[in-house]
Amino acid sequence: MKIAVIGTGYVGSVTGACFAEMGNTVVCVDKDERKIAQFESGKAPLHEKGLDELVVKNLKNGTLSFTTDFDGAVRGSDILFIAVGTPPSEDGSADLSHVLAVADGIGSCMDHELIVVDKSTVPVGTAALVSGRIAAKLAERGEDIPFSVVSNPEFLAQGTAVKDFLEPSRVVVGSDDPKPLETMRELYGPFMRREGRFFAMDAKTAEIVKYASNCFLAVKISAANELANICSKAGADYENVRKAMGADPRIGEAFLYASAGFGGSCFPKDVKALIRTAEDLGYDARMLRETLDTNERQKHVLGGMVADRFGDDLSGKVFAVWGLAFKAGTDDMRESPAIPVVNDLIAKGATVRAYDPEAMHMAKTPDYFGDNPSIAYFDDKYEALEGADAMLLVTEWKEFRTPDFDRIREALREPVIFDGRLLYEPKRMADLGIEYRSIGR
């Protein structure tokens, strides 16, 4: 099939590369010439495992291309995916300006029947809005060209997005017209060798599935963190609580791990958007609001543990921070727990020596820490420890799981570790002569 993907963020680029991998002819569109040039060179301007390999392979095969020519992509495709950003507005609602601008562009230049697919995470009713905008532009041109608008939410986790797309747990497609549903079923057929994972429904229901999924997972994470904090106060070990709870099939193991809070581009944004949608419908989603409040408090727990140990005045203290990305496997720092952790330390007078295998270039931008003189960055995690009073572990990168603890102990002024991910065993730390403090213990 001939496919156009509008937007080359991690959703758009992964969508385009994976459809090309299955033999479709795909063109990915972005107005940012710099990004297009990077993709054409075979190097994605974002860190996503396996993406570069797919881009290089399918550029070579001729099944994948990148362009700034929006009109040409629309006219050359049969299925068009909208995969642009929907950032939160000040009131928490999803900003649909980019999505609707794409819809206007489609209606202004399309010249044949087209299936338009909302791949962006959008609130209930967006398919109808997109359809209306396309129809209005066609009417302005005096054209009567048939088209369909389909909702097809993405379920990609940053760091495993390529694998998630190639081996989907489910594909959700929503349309009030059965014809495009069959085309979408055919398009996703190569990814669905195992039956029972394609879910066809109406557009509004499909639109809410993504929000419902992310909100439920956010609630589960916040519940896990609340339980971990209670365990810490009670002198219990949340790791054992988690394992016993997770053995119950009604609860399951996933998303029960305690942490310094959730972040990223999806969970916080989607919870806020569903709260706003509920308000517009006259419903107060109180549990979702409390989920966000709980998460914001959780991001300050690690800093509070440092203050309990070293005091509220951290002037002259130096702390090594391992992990800046909101999760392992990505360079994304949006809503990362590391941001308040670092800011809390600096606000109390401390300086920070930071290491992250992928996200340090993001941390240095004005969106995050910029050129803050209280932060130094190191390309080696052990070098970041030199002369620090303690180490804080924030992101669960694999390389942090079994480090050289002798080097850690020798590098630190005091052998103190604050673990925001419960990666290490307390007895093992005690045997090594390391003072170990972690969330949930």
Side-chain angles (χ1 to χ4, degrees):
M1 296 184 185
K2 295 179 180 179
I3 298 169
V5 181
I6 311 301
T8 59
Y10 93 92
V11 173
S13 58
V14 169
T15 297
C18 290
F19 277 135
E21 177 72 2
M22 294 302 169
N24 298 288
T25 301
V26 181
V27 57
C28 293
V29 184
D30 203 291
K31 61 184 179 181
D32 188 333
E33 294 181 357
R34 181 187 57 83
K35 288 177 68 176
I36 293 300
Q38 285 185 265
F39 276 114
E40 288 180 327
S41 73
K43 177 64 177 176
L46 52 95
H47 179 76
E48 191 58 55
K49 184 178 179 181
L51 180 58
D52 284 351
E53 292 82 353
L54 284 186
V55 169
V56 169
K57 175 182 177 182
N58 290 289
L59 281 171
K60 183 178 179 180
N61 291 343
T63 55
L64 180 64
S65 61
F66 296 87
T67 184
T68 57
D69 183 5
F70 179 91
D71 291 6
V74 172
R75 292 172 181 147
S77 62
D78 299 314
I79 304 175
L80 186 147
F81 285 82
I82 300 176
V84 294
T86 54
S89 301
E90 289 187 8
D91 63 359
S93 62
D95 180 357
L96 295 178
S97 59
H98 300 301
V99 171
L100 297 179
V102 172
D104 289 341
I106 294 169
S108 297
C109 70
M110 64 182 289
D111 60 1
H112 64 282
E113 185 172 357
L114 195 63
I115 295 176
V116 177
V117 184
D118 282 336
K119 196 67 174 173
S120 303
T121 301
V122 294
V124 177
T126 301
L129 288 176
V130 169
S131 181
R133 295 288 280 259
I134 295 173
K137 289 297 181 180
L138 287 172
E140 287 179 12
R141 295 167 53 199
E143 297 283 359
D144 184 19
I145 303 171
F147 69 92
S148 302
V149 177
V150 173
S151 176
N152 174 218
E154 53 86 11
F155 300 98
L156 308 178
Q158 285 179 261
T160 59
V162 170
K163 183 178 186 297
D164 293 342
F165 200 104
L166 294 174
E167 303 171 14
S169 60
R170 75 280 204 199
V171 171
V172 174
V173 179
S175 175
D176 300 322
D177 179 358
K179 182 179 177 182
L181 290 177
E182 290 308 308
T183 302
M184 295 296 289
R185 189 187 297 273
E186 180 183 351
L187 176 64
Y188 277 104
F191 306 94
M192 310 294 289
R193 307 295 290 184
R194 182 161 54 86
E195 294 295 325
R197 291 179 293 158
F198 187 92
F199 298 91
M201 58 196 69
D202 64 273
K204 286 185 177 180
T205 302
E207 286 167 340
I208 208 167
V209 167
K210 173 62 182 292
Y211 284 122
S213 298
N214 278 356
C215 286
F216 186 85
L217 294 177
V219 169
K220 191 173 183 182
I221 292 169
S222 285
N225 284 331
E226 287 279 62
L227 292 170
N229 293 338
I230 293 170
C231 286
S232 182
K233 297 288 186 183
D237 187 339
Y238 177 71
E239 270 296 272
N240 288 326
V241 172
R242 176 188 65 80
K243 292 172 184 176
M245 285 175 59
D248 185 333
R250 298 170 301 172
I251 297 173
E253 296 179 355
F255 291 87
L256 274 185
Y257 290 87
S259 69
F262 61 77
S265 63
C266 293
F267 284 6
K269 173 177 71 72
D270 292 353
V271 175
K272 291 173 185 175
L274 192 56
I275 289 170
R276 179 63 185 182
T277 295
E279 289 175 353
D280 291 342
L281 296 170
Y283 182 76
D284 182 9
R286 287 178 291 178
M287 185 177 68
L288 297 183
R289 286 194 283 106
E290 181 55 35
T291 294
L292 290 179
D293 292 342
T294 298
N295 190 57
E296 286 307 305
R297 291 194 299 271
Q298 192 67 20
K299 291 180 179 181
H300 298 280
V301 168
L302 208 55
M305 292 167 60
V306 172
D308 288 343
R309 170 62 172 76
F310 289 97
D312 283 329
D313 184 1
L314 300 178
S315 299
K317 297 295 184 182
V318 180
F319 296 96
V321 173
W322 278 11
L324 298 171
F326 86 91
K327 62 179 284 189
T330 182
D331 61 356
D332 196 341
M333 282 189 60
R334 283 175 287 185
E335 304 268 359
S336 172
I339 299 169
V341 168
V342 169
N343 285 337
D344 285 351
L345 295 174
I346 292 173
K348 289 181 169 65
T351 57
V352 171
R353 296 168 65 89
Y355 168 79
D356 188 286
E358 296 294 341
M360 289 194 294
H361 69 287
M362 295 298 297
K364 297 173 185 177
T365 65
D367 290 336
Y368 300 107
F369 303 124
D371 57 359
N372 191 320
S374 296
I375 310 173
Y377 301 93
F378 297 87
D379 294 326
D380 180 275
K381 60 179 177 285
Y382 296 110
E383 187 180 353
L385 300 173
E386 294 293 336
D389 291 283
M391 180 190 106
L392 284 74
L393 193 153
V394 184
T395 311
E396 74 283 17
W397 288 99
K398 288 181 180 178
E399 66 178 80
F400 298 160
R401 293 182 182 179
T402 54
D404 185 333
F405 289 108
D406 289 335
R407 290 185 67 180
I408 293 175
R409 188 179 60 245
E410 292 167 3
L412 294 172
R413 290 179 186 170
E414 296 186 62
V416 182
I417 293 178
F418 296 92
D419 185 356
R421 294 288 180 173
L422 285 78
L423 289 190
Y424 310 136
E425 288 297 324
K427 185 178 184 304
R428 164 88 165 136
M429 295 298 98
D431 291 344
L432 289 169
I434 294 174
E435 182 182 335
Y436 179 66
R437 298 176 178 232
S438 70
I439 289 173
R441 286 168 169 153

